[in-house]
């Protein structure tokens, strides 16, 4: 059997809002904070100084804490620092 990889299609903003509205409040909040942490992690590359390294590790800790909340709702919600895990 031949399988084809489907192209990733961006989710419309309104659909994302409806999905977040259907989630429990702590999970929706964790999703938004995870996106913030991912943006901050991306900002600290490359690690040029010790201060950037400390900030980078702090953001990784924040991401890990939010991933616990997301994974408790569904394991595929967890994200990696370099993109979505699944």
């Amino acid at each position: 059997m031949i399988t084809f990889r489907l192209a990733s299609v961006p989710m419309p903003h309104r659909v994302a809002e409806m999905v977040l509205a259907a989630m429990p409040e702590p999970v929706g909040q964790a999703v938004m904070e995870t996106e913030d942490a991912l943006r901050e992690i991306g900002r600290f590359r490359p690690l040029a100084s010790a201060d950037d390294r400390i900030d980078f590790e702090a953001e990784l800790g924040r991401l890990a804490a939010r991933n616990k909340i997301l994974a408790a709702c569904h394991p595929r919600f967890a994200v990696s620092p370099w993109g979505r895990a699944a």
Side-chain angles (χ1 to χ4, degrees):
M1 181 171 148
I2 298 174
T3 59
F4 297 101
R5 294 200 77 193
L6 296 176
S8 134
V9 178
M11 184 185 306
H13 185 67
R14 180 69 184 132
V15 173
E17 287 177 351
M18 290 188 322
V19 169
L20 280 175
M23 290 183 189
E25 182 63 30
V27 175
Q29 185 67 28
V31 167
M32 294 187 307
E33 290 176 3
T34 299
E35 294 297 326
D36 291 342
L38 286 173
R39 187 172 36 257
E40 288 297 314
I41 287 170
R43 191 175 68 101
F44 289 119
R45 278 195 238 156
L47 302 174
S49 68
D51 290 338
D52 279 351
R53 171 62 116 186
I54 292 169
D55 293 341
F56 181 77
E57 290 176 0
E59 288 301 325
L60 284 178
R62 184 174 157 210
L63 178 63
R66 297 305 168 222
N67 268 340
K68 287 182 182 180
I69 296 170
L70 295 176
C73 184
H74 194 285
R76 291 186 63 137
F77 285 167
V79 296
S80 71
W82 297 274
R84 299 227 175 258

